[in-house]
Amino acid sequence: MRTQVLIVGSGPSGLLLGQLLATIGIETVILERSSREHVLGRVRAGVLEQGTVDLLGEAGAAARLHAEGLPHSGISLAFDGRLHRIDLTALTGGKHVTVYGQTEVTHDLMDKREAAGLVTVYEAANVALHDFDGTPFVTYDNDGVGHRVDCDFIAGCDGYHGVSRRSVPEGALKTFERIYPFGWLGVLAEVPPADHELIYANHERGFALCSMRSPRRSRYYVQVPADERVEAWSDDRFWEELRQRLPPQTAAAVTTGPSFEKSIAPLRSFVAEPMRFGRLFLVGDAAHIVPPTGAKGLNLAASDVRYLFAGLREFYREGSEAALDAYSAKALARVWKAVRFSWWMTTMLHRFPETGEFGQRIQEAELDYLVNSQAASTALAENYVGLPY
Ligand code: APR
Ligand code: PHB
């Protein structure tokens, strides 16, 4: 088989890149290790920057997003027993974010790809990248049969645990990592949200987040130790703990109910440099991971895709590799700003026992300064809605 761009991974990065390339007639094949059902079964974050919404529109996959997505003009920080609203729209000259589950984004992009009859090979095993410094090709097994795909380029959209980054020669890659000493225990429940906007809570018992998927479906998180087991958390224990970490009036507004999804995610910051190796380009989680506190994971994947799409479009239309040559530096410049912001939000809002009372006082001072300074609130707001591409 031959194609122009071979995409490894059918997550948001791979699907969005495939759709954008399809709009300009560039052929792609996606190789996905898991089944379609497994990919759609993943529960991930759900806050989209306007740039991400615009890209999904350009890919022709934003109809449901426009119909069901929830525009949000603010978020609240909860500390000292009360809510402190950050007016994102007022502070950024009219910008907002859209709450819409990543699972829905993935579903919309998959539906679009299938409707166009584009090739995705699910349960592609043993994907291996070859000669991406010369004439690239990829091999894989499917139903016990070995296959080869020759291509012009490989887009490594296969996430943190994928094969693409691991295929880069030893020493050609520099990585940066910070692992946080806690995780997020998250639940999904078919109950109305506690508030019409997101609430990020700093509490002496630990961080909590009140989010949502729709007016009828809530998404909540509480900080737990890194080695915590989800089996130790009944729904009752979760609701009790969540309420203890929220201001009284917010806690009273929490509607409890049976969770239909409950899981613990570890938190890490990770960046791999560079993001290009000859004809191989790393995209999204394959190149970087951020703690979900800043809701940047999906949005960074989208900006990587935008830069790579622009480079591939220039190559196929004009024969120039200038934008492809600039991809890594351009993507990393935005990645590191989002990594900083996500680290900052995480450091400000979570409990770090090892930093002691001094660290606690610094957090309190940071929060007090943040909600009482227009400059500080504006800095949070412009990062949260998304820095320019
Ligand atoms: N071969 C083929 N496919 C693979 C391989 C492999 N060796 N390894 C992983 N994959 C697939 C995974 O099964 C997954 O479907 O690659 C896809 C990677 O998708 P994501 O991990 O969702 O990464 P990305 O598309 O970059 O999206 C980033 O997802 O994890 C969240 O917070 C993150 O919101 C961000 C978004
Ligand atoms: C979510 O709704 O899952 C969510 C929202 C905001 C975050 C993280 C997760 O910062």
Side-chain angles (χ1 to χ4, degrees):
M1 186 182 346
R2 188 185 209 295
T3 193
Q4 290 174 291
V5 180
L6 188 285
I7 298 171
V8 187
S10 178
S13 297
L15 288 165
L16 180 54
L17 179 62
Q19 268 331 99
L20 289 168
L21 290 171
T23 64
I24 58 170
I26 304 301
E27 286 176 11
T28 60
V29 168
I30 294 182
L31 300 182
E32 166 55 51
R33 172 171 68 182
S34 305
S35 68
R36 182 179 188 278
E37 294 66 33
H38 182 84
V39 174
L40 287 174
R42 291 192 194 113
V43 178
R44 295 275 169 73
V47 174
L48 307 185
E49 297 171 2
Q50 190 56 42
T52 303
V53 171
D54 294 345
L55 263 181
L56 288 164
E58 194 177 332
R64 202 160 63 101
L65 164 56
H66 289 311
E68 299 175 16
L70 305 172
H72 280 210
S73 60
I75 61 172
S76 285
L77 304 180
F79 60 93
D80 283 350
R82 58 181 285 256
L83 295 184
H84 303 263
R85 186 169 186 265
I86 304 289
D87 189 336
L88 300 172
T89 299
L91 291 163
T92 60
K95 295 181 181 175
H96 66 279
V97 293
T98 302
V99 173
Y100 187 71
Q102 178 177 308
T103 308
E104 310 316 317
V105 171
T106 305
H107 211 304
D108 296 341
L109 286 164
M110 271 187 184
D111 290 349
K112 192 74 186 172
R113 185 168 181 84
E114 288 161 6
L118 301 177
V119 177
T120 297
V121 178
Y122 290 103
E123 297 177 286
N126 307 314
V127 171
L129 315 186
H130 307 272
D131 198 11
F132 45 80
D133 252 340
T135 312
F137 66 97
V138 175
T139 54
Y140 68 95
D141 299 327
N142 187 241
D143 292 337
V145 176
H147 299 268
R148 168 175 169 147
V149 185
D150 291 277
C151 51
D152 299 334
F153 298 99
I154 303 171
C157 302
D158 46 347
Y160 180 73
H161 300 288
V163 65
S164 295
R165 192 179 71 250
R166 285 189 281 110
S167 301
V168 174
E170 193 65 35
L173 198 69
K174 181 170 180 54
T175 61
F176 305 81
E177 186 165 48
R178 169 159 297 187
I179 295 175
Y180 299 91
F182 40 75
W184 279 17
L185 166 62
V187 303
L188 271 173
E190 208 67 33
V191 294
D195 196 302
H196 68 297
E197 294 177 332
L198 274 61
I199 299 171
Y200 292 80
N202 173 299
H203 189 275
E204 61 186 7
R205 296 178 65 88
F207 169 82
L209 171 60
C210 304
S211 184
M212 65 206 66
R213 290 290 176 272
S214 76
R216 292 164 306 284
R217 177 169 294 184
S218 295
R219 178 66 163 161
Y220 289 109
Y221 299 92
V222 294
Q223 172 187 350
V224 293
D227 59 359
E228 184 67 293
R229 294 178 308 106
V230 68
E231 295 76 18
W233 287 81
S234 67
D235 283 355
D236 288 347
R237 181 185 178 193
F238 178 86
W239 295 120
E240 175 55 31
E241 186 60 39
L242 174 73
R243 281 175 156 158
Q244 289 196 61
R245 299 186 184 187
L246 298 173
Q249 79 275 20
T250 306
V254 171
T255 304
T256 65
S259 65
F260 63 88
E261 199 279 341
K262 191 187 291 173
S263 55
I264 295 178
L267 268 67
R268 76 173 76 239
S269 299
F270 173 84
V271 180
E273 294 183 358
M275 291 171 57
R276 181 214 183 158
F277 306 88
R279 291 292 175 107
L280 167 63
F281 295 86
L282 299 182
V283 185
D285 274 18
H288 41 74
I289 296 286
V290 286
T293 328
K296 289 301 165 198
L298 177 57
N299 295 297
L300 275 183
S303 47
D304 291 351
V305 166
R306 187 174 189 271
Y307 298 138
L308 182 55
F309 170 59
L312 291 168
R313 178 174 55 195
E314 182 190 76
F315 173 82
Y316 283 109
R317 282 185 174 168
E318 303 164 30
S320 161
E321 292 208 27
L324 289 176
D325 292 343
Y327 166 74
S328 181
K330 193 159 189 173
L332 284 167
R334 193 170 195 273
V335 163
W336 273 110
K337 294 187 186 76
V339 166
R340 182 211 65 82
F341 174 67
S342 304
W343 163 84
W344 173 72
M345 286 279 279
T346 302
T347 303
M348 180 174 67
L349 291 168
H350 289 73
R351 189 64 47 208
F352 290 78
E354 66 280 9
T355 59
E357 289 188 320
F358 176 82
Q360 180 56 31
R361 289 289 182 275
I362 292 295
Q363 268 191 355
E364 289 165 5
E366 175 104 59
L367 288 162
D368 181 26
Y369 169 60
L370 179 60
V371 299
N372 290 295
S373 157
Q374 170 134 354
S377 299
T378 301
L380 186 160
E382 65 179 8
N383 278 276
Y384 195 88
V385 300
L387 295 178
Y389 280 165

